[in-house]
Amino acid sequence: MRTSNHLIGLLNFLTFLLSIPILGGGIWLSGRANNTDCLKFLQWPLIIIGVSIMVVSLAGFAGACYRNTVLMYLYLWAMFVIIAVLTGFIIFAYAVTDKGSGHPVTSRAYLEYDLDDYSGWLENRVASASYWNKISSCIRDSKVCAKMGRQIGGVPESADLFYLRKLNPIQSGCCKPPTECGYTYMNETVWTSGGGLGGTNADCTNWNNDQSQLCYNCNSCKAGVLASLKKSWRKVSVINIVILIILVIVYVVACAAFRHNRRIDNDEPYGETRMEKAQPSRIHF
């Protein structure tokens, strides 16, 4: 019994430690939501799951130390629910960030992004006018486009050097016009039409050299936000999947240890089947 309780206590301590990366991932996504991705709702379920695992693990640890069967029983059920919720959330996160990716442009090192490549619930939410007003305001306040400026010898870098830069999705989608529009580079956030637009993309007319406008109302900017969110979630989801596998293993071992404790509490000999009837039925389950 003592060994089994020690094992359950150790497993609960392990799940407590596993809650830290989940909580950390949620906090990291929250920081990205405030400064880069500007989507402020997907990180909260992850933070809640991390805190829940932490609290439930402490309850299970106390139950193991004090041999409190009720606490251990509640711990197992709570962990089952948390594992199910975490599994569903990982599937949901992959589903809403599954489609869409950047496409290369001739003579450019950076990728460009098209909103038509994305579809589903997340794309509809980002594209809605009411929600996009908040996202575009967040991008504007983050100064992501203003931070793109580089000078060489006191003058802005040349177009050839700019075309060789590795821009992130938001820089590419929100801070410059699409290449197909035919704008002429002046600096990172100032482009001239050169007497006529070469593309039929609606973003060509949405571009504005006003530093408070730029391409914040472009579909390419919305696609850049989705691409940035996808990259962030892919990084966090890999960690979550590994932690989920470990949690399932820990949960199975904890269930076995809890059943062992109950068998001892009921005075059941280990490895033997206790006969409950003087004349047992011929049918056994």
Side-chain angles (χ1 to χ4, degrees), residues 37 54 68 81 104 146 159 189 219:
D37 297 335
M54 192 172 290
N68 190 312
V81 172
T189 57
N219 286 333

Side-chain angles (χ1 to χ4, degrees), residues 47-271:
I47 293 175
I48 293 172
I49 291 172
V51 172
S52 298
I53 294 176
M54 192 172 290
V55 172
V56 170
S57 298
L58 290 176
F61 187 79
C65 290
Y66 295 101
R67 291 188 57 193
N68 190 312
T69 304
V70 174
L71 271 180
M72 284 303 306
Y73 191 74
L74 293 176
Y75 159 77
L76 291 176
W77 272 107
M79 282 302 298
F80 175 80
V81 172
I82 289 173
I83 289 173
V85 171
L86 181 59
T87 302
F89 185 67
I90 290 173
I91 295 172
F92 170 78
Y94 265 96
V96 299
T97 60
D98 179 52
K99 296 182 179 180
S101 61
H103 55 84
V105 182
T106 304
S107 303
R108 304 289 190 270
Y110 49 76
L111 301 177
E112 292 193 345
Y113 302 86
D114 190 345
L115 188 61
D116 291 337
D117 294 338
Y118 297 84
S119 63
W121 175 82
L122 189 60
E123 184 269 337
N124 292 332
R125 187 175 180 89
V126 170
S128 65
S130 60
Y131 204 78
W132 180 249
N133 288 336
K134 299 177 183 179
I135 298 175
S136 60
S137 177
C138 170
I139 296 173
R140 190 180 296 109
D141 293 342
S142 70
K143 310 290 185 185
V144 62
C145 295
K147 296 174 184 177
M148 289 176 59
R150 289 182 183 176
Q151 290 192 344
I152 300 176
V155 296
E157 65 179 348
S158 66
D160 291 335
L161 290 177
F162 177 77
Y163 297 153
L164 294 176
R165 287 175 64 173
K166 299 283 188 180
L167 303 180
N168 65 44
I170 292 181
Q171 289 175 333
S172 177
C174 305
C175 304
K176 64 169 190 60
T179 300
E180 66 176 287
C181 295
Y183 280 89
T184 301
Y185 173 89
M186 302 300 293
N187 64 39
E188 293 84 356
T189 57
V190 176
W191 301 67
T192 60
S193 61
L197 301 178
T200 59
N201 192 332
D203 289 348
C204 298
T205 56
N206 285 331
W207 169 261
N208 194 320
N209 281 323
D210 183 344
Q211 298 300 294
S212 65
Q213 299 295 324
L214 299 180
C215 219
Y216 295 135
N217 291 320
C218 296
N219 286 333
S220 63
C221 188
K222 298 173 183 178
V225 170
L226 292 173
S228 180
L229 181 70
K230 179 177 180 178
K231 291 176 64 177
S232 299
W233 271 101
R234 286 295 185 265
K235 293 177 182 179
V236 174
S237 292
V238 170
I239 299 174
N240 288 343
I241 290 172
V242 173
I243 292 175
L244 177 63
I245 294 173
I246 298 175
L247 280 177
V248 171
I249 295 173
V250 168
Y251 180 76
V252 171
V253 176
C255 285
F258 180 69
R259 289 181 63 186
H260 176 66
N261 276 3
R262 292 192 63 183
R263 203 162 40 230
I264 294 177
D265 287 338
N266 294 333
D267 296 325
E268 297 180 19
Y270 181 78

